[in-house]
Amino acid sequence: MSFAYKFRYIVVGDTGVGKSCLLLQFTDKRFQPVHDLTIGVEFGQRMVTIGKKKIKLQIWDTAGQEAFRSITKSYYRSAAAALLVYDITRRETFNHVASWLEEMREQADGNNNITIMLVGNKSDLAQRRAVSTEEGEQFAKENGLAFMETSARTRHNVEEAFPQSSSMVCQKIQEGAIDLSKSSGVTPGGDDFSRLEPLPPSRASVCCSS
Ligand SMILES: Nc1nc2c(ncn2[C@@H]2O[C@H](COP(=O)(O)OP(=O)(O)O)[C@@H](O)[C@H]2O)c(=O)[nH]1
Ligand SMILES: [Mg+2]
């Protein structure tokens, strides 16, 4: 199927926060409670429609590497967007978000335009909540991130998290803020007619809903 762009996504955060489950729920619409780390999904793909544009999302999972913090520069450098995930029932995973962010920004190596969404996962476990929604929102606001709470189990907001961050990437393309000639994680696809041409600054607010 033709598409206007391909966006490369990465999913980061502590082990066990539900990254692989979120990916599986988004690409396969299923929840698999137990994963074997060694056969963790490496990446999944799905098409989304933003405005009238078809965008192919290629989403890379860390496949267990996050436990060793051995994630390489190239993983961060060539991403258009990232989901930075913590578990709302485990405070330490939220406490580590700042260091994930720092590592991501350090390693991104000039790719400063990565769109980052902070994701508080396991919203279905309300009775075990250890991090309030307000705290997540506040951290996101202070650090210029988008924010959402999700459940990979019930699918709550799973359908929303990816398209919402994708339309932020679309907006950046239209504002001319993403250099398509560099490894920005954005690849033009085969469908020339639906490309988002960068707009002159005065028209940038039209964005990609046209
Ligand atoms: N209740 C609940 N459990 C979840 C959710 N997402 C993941 N899990 C569970 O959390 C554990 C870790 O999930 P996984 O996707 O492997 O985490 P990863 O290490 O970040 O990839 C598994 O036992 C999942 O079943 C969720 O939204 N709600
Ligand atoms: Mg995993």
Side-chain angles (χ1 to χ4, degrees), residues 8-21 23-24 35-44 59-72 75-76 83 100:
R8 187 182 150 106
Y9 266 66
I10 57 174
V11 189
V12 296
D14 284 8
T15 302
V17 296
K19 300 181 298 297
S20 300
C21 287
L23 176 57
L24 195 67
H35 292 281
D36 183 334
L37 277 183
T38 57
I39 51 170
V41 196
E42 288 219 297
F43 76 87
I59 308 150
W60 288 80
D61 191 5
T62 38
Q65 299 169 81
E66 75 276 23
F68 316 104
R69 292 280 172 119
S70 61
I71 299 168
T72 58
Y75 185 78
Y76 294 109
L83 299 190
W100 280 109

Side-chain angles (χ1 to χ4, degrees), residues 7 15 28-29 36 53 69 72 74 76 92 99 102 112 116 118 125 134 143 149 170 179 182 186 200:
F7 293 169
T15 302
D28 269 30
K29 298 193 166 63
D36 183 334
K53 285 39 173 200
R69 292 280 172 119
T72 58
S74 61
Y76 294 109
E92 73 272 19
S99 67
E102 195 178 315
N112 297 321
I116 305 170
L118 180 65
L125 299 176
E134 292 68 31
N143 290 277
E149 284 190 347
C170 284
D179 184 348
K182 289 206 185 126
V186 176

Side-chain angles (χ1 to χ4, degrees), residues 192-208:
D192 291 327
F193 298 106
S194 63
R195 294 260 175 83
L196 296 160
E197 297 303 336
L199 295 172
S202 59
R203 292 182 53 207
S205 61
V206 176
C207 184
C208 43

Side-chain angles (χ1 to χ4, degrees), residues 72-107:
T72 58
K73 253 191 171 102
S74 61
Y75 185 78
Y76 294 109
R77 194 165 43 201
S78 54
L83 299 190
L84 173 47
V85 188
Y86 65 93
D87 174 347
I88 65 149
T89 71
R90 283 194 295 140
R91 173 156 286 276
E92 73 272 19
T93 68
F94 179 69
N95 294 341
H96 293 158
V97 160
S99 67
W100 280 109
L101 197 57
E102 195 178 315
E103 174 164 316
M104 201 183 304
R105 292 197 161 142
E106 233 165 60
Q107 302 274 0

Side-chain angles (χ1 to χ4, degrees), residues 40-194:
V41 196
E42 288 219 297
F43 76 87
Q45 307 200 79
R46 197 179 134 184
M47 209 72 97
V48 294
T49 306
I50 307 294
K52 288 181 183 140
K53 285 39 173 200
K54 291 240 182 305
I55 314 274
K56 185 177 191 166
L57 305 188
Q58 187 184 66
I59 308 150
W60 288 80
D61 191 5
T62 38
Q65 299 169 81
E66 75 276 23
F68 316 104
R69 292 280 172 119
S70 61
I71 299 168
T72 58
K73 253 191 171 102
S74 61
Y75 185 78
Y76 294 109
R77 194 165 43 201
S78 54
L83 299 190
L84 173 47
V85 188
Y86 65 93
D87 174 347
I88 65 149
T89 71
R90 283 194 295 140
R91 173 156 286 276
E92 73 272 19
T93 68
F94 179 69
N95 294 341
H96 293 158
V97 160
S99 67
W100 280 109
L101 197 57
E102 195 178 315
E103 174 164 316
M104 201 183 304
R105 292 197 161 142
E106 233 165 60
Q107 302 274 0
D109 215 17
N111 175 14
N112 297 321
N113 263 315
I114 180 163
T115 296
I116 305 170
M117 177 175 271
L118 180 65
V119 174
N121 188 44
K122 309 198 187 181
S123 65
D124 57 292
L125 299 176
Q127 73 287 3
R128 281 169 46 196
R129 179 186 283 276
V131 183
S132 71
T133 306
E134 292 68 31
E135 268 182 283
E137 264 167 5
Q138 180 67 22
F139 183 91
K141 202 170 160 189
E142 283 166 5
N143 290 277
L145 317 175
F147 175 71
M148 222 170 234
E149 284 190 347
T150 59
S151 168
R153 196 155 99 119
T154 66
R155 292 183 61 76
H156 173 239
N157 274 345
V158 173
E159 282 298 317
E160 286 75 18
F162 289 93
Q164 183 171 313
S165 47
S166 294
S167 57
M168 293 165 76
V169 178
C170 284
Q171 174 122 30
K172 287 181 184 171
I173 295 171
Q174 284 222 307
E175 288 167 352
I178 291 180
D179 184 348
L180 297 176
S181 65
K182 289 206 185 126
S183 55
S184 56
V186 176
T187 317
D191 184 1
D192 291 327
F193 298 106
S194 63

